[in-house]
Amino acid sequence: MSTDDLIETFRAQLRDDPDVASAVVAIRVLLGFLKQDRGETIQGLRSSLLAAIDTLSRVDSSVAVSSGGELFLRFISLTSLEYSDYSKCKEIMIERGEIFLRKVSLSRNKIAKLCHPFIRDGAQILTHAYSRVVLRVLEAAVESKKRFSVYVTESQPDQAGQKMAKALRKLNIPVTVILDAAVGYIMEKVDLVLVGAEGVVESGGIINKIGTNQIAVCAKAQNKPFYVVAESFKFVRLFPLNQQDVPDKFKYKADTLKTSQNLTEEHPWIDYTSPSLITLLFTDLGVLTPSAVSDELIKLYL
Amino acid sequence: MPGAAERGSELSEQIEAFVARLRGGGERPRSEDTARQTLSLLRKIIAHGRWSRAGELMDLIRTEGQRMTAAQPSETTVGNMVRRVLKVIREEYGRLHGRSEESDQQESLHKLLTSGGLSEDFSTPYPPLRANVIEAINELLIELEGTTDNIAMQALEHIHSNEVIMTIGYSRTVEAFLKEAARKRKFQVIVAECAPFCQGHEMAVRLSKENIETTVMSDAAIFAVMSRVNKVIIGTKTILANGALIAVSGTHTLALAAKHHSTPLIVCAPMFKLSPQFPNEEDSFHKFVSPQEVLPFTEGEILAKINVHCPVFDYVPPELITLFISNIGGNAPSYIYRLMSELYHPDDYEL
């Protein structure tokens, strides 16, 4: 499969299925790549996969694609350790890959089931930008006959908050769009903050759309619970200690990285929220405190 | 057979009696007694109940467990014991089924990537399962007996000479803890009386019988005295999954005062009080009793114009707690999730 084919397939799948997370699409494309691979050795497979992941991140340099790719590589290594015969190994990999994709398609529903009891009747919820997982959680809360209202931040520069507000109005949830700068003002009226995440880092902190850190700090100052909902394939092996530690390839879009002369002139798209500001993380592995996240990552990668 | 039918009806009578006793809630039952009674009842159900496969047994235990927890939701030890038994059944089944001990039963990213199929199906019948499960439950009962002693044994590491310790209300675990330390060290104890039931008085009487210098004071004076206190040691009713406490009313005030003065707050509680629930809308932990204690019925005129509440329990968030001392040692609140994964299986968190 040539690089152009790969990019085309990835773009096409993202277009056709806007509801699926980009990490899942990346894994699906990589699985397809694996099926078509003509190599005979694990090493060969690994190097061609690394090249494929590199290609994909040049299209979409978000944290999610990176974590999906790394997870897939880990998946290959784990399976290859068990079976020495290459063709048998490849068969098992393809089978397990399909099972994995099936399981992750259920993960949003699992998270919604875990999270919606935390939304009380009459609650005022604050959320940030556009998150499909948060949308699913709020849908589940509506299905269980709860009444609540939502404040969404406008989320510049791409006004993702307006998209979220439109989707919420379709579910008949009373929603108010507020300025990003109005978070401190609105925080006293809010009962809980619920955000999604693009990546969950080893310390238990999250990487999410720019503005999340501000909301977390305000929530902490006013003693409001700050909940994060994220699927487990978003766990990534990074340990940033501050905002500078987050790699530039995640902060800026792929095109900007290629064309811009001076990155300090550009506005970053994401920021890092530290684990001390997060109350609980809802994942398909269960409800976790931030300290439990590193445990999960250790179990996988070491 | 008439024998089996008789045993069957006697068993359901015992279950009914237990449920009624839980619901009645006259005097405050000791958590350890409740745990022991629950385990004995579950052991009887396993021994005499009609089941042939592990799956059927688990459904049976789950149904009975739901009934028992519904009777008195604030008695979380009942639910915890049911979940322990379910985990025991899963383990024994796994052992007989030939699965290695290593295979992690927990959901994890690793399992997500490497598992070959979807969930486990407990349908193969194994005759030795009954005996194995009953033996495992007997081991649990023996473990239960030793919890207070295990906690008390750690007392000398935490209490030093000439310290001033503060506690609230009456906890039998803390009583044993302090008595054990008093055998070798000299220290002072201040007991907050914990209105309106004033169980602090009973605690003070028992401690002074062991020649420990004890002072009783009202709850209002907690903050005032806190600057002279070295450590706060309390018991609790339940430990929640995020490391928070459901403890006797007044504990949150004590915890906030301790945090303000940077005084360490130590919680002595055995592991059977650890419950996999999170504090959320299903706040069934709240228990309200007769407001007679707060404002007696003789004040009829005033009572007609106001609302009086008498809550029994308080919620203490995990940031205010320094250390948990349990029968398996000392742990930080952020580590509770780990202990939970060792005691219970995630599918059993929702009974």
Side-chain angles (χ1 to χ4, degrees), chain A residues 71 75 78 96 99-100 103 117-120 146 232 235 280 285 287 289 291-292 295-296 299-300, chain B residues 104 106-118 242 278-283 334 337-338:
Chain A
L71 206 62
F75 166 59
L78 283 174
R96 282 198 189 160
I99 295 178
F100 176 72
K103 272 197 202 165
F118 284 71
I119 300 176
R120 291 166 206 254
K146 295 220 177 98
S232 60
F235 284 17
L280 285 175
L285 303 173
V287 186
T289 47
S291 36
D295 223 23
E296 283 299 324
K299 271 193 250 173
L300 175 62
Chain B
D104 204 348
Q106 306 305 318
E107 275 295 328
S108 70
L109 271 180
H110 184 109
K111 186 156 163 274
L112 216 59
L113 291 184
T114 56
S115 67
L118 294 167
N242 59 347
F278 280 90
N280 61 14
E281 191 227 277
E282 273 48 88
D283 275 321
S334 53
Y337 75 90
R338 193 58 185 275

Side-chain angles (χ1 to χ4, degrees), chain A residues 205-271:
Chain A
I206 58 165
I207 293 186
N208 198 24
K209 185 82 186 290
I210 191 102
T212 314
N213 194 23
Q214 257 159 246
I215 300 181
V217 172
C218 284
K220 187 75 178 194
Q222 304 234 14
N223 260 321
K224 307 286 177 181
F226 186 85
Y227 297 132
V228 175
V229 283
E231 301 101 315
S232 60
F233 53 76
K234 290 182 177 166
F235 284 17
V236 57
R237 281 185 84 186
L238 267 180
F239 205 116
L241 296 173
N242 54 24
Q243 304 296 340
Q244 297 297 339
D245 283 346
V246 180
D248 279 342
K249 68 176 184 185
F250 297 145
K251 283 189 195 162
Y252 308 101
K253 296 261 180 216
D255 315 322
T256 324
L257 285 168
K258 268 186 275 189
T259 59
S260 121
Q261 309 291 64
N262 189 0
L263 275 178
T264 55
E265 306 270 317
E266 303 296 327
H267 295 293
W269 282 82
I270 55 157
D271 63 19

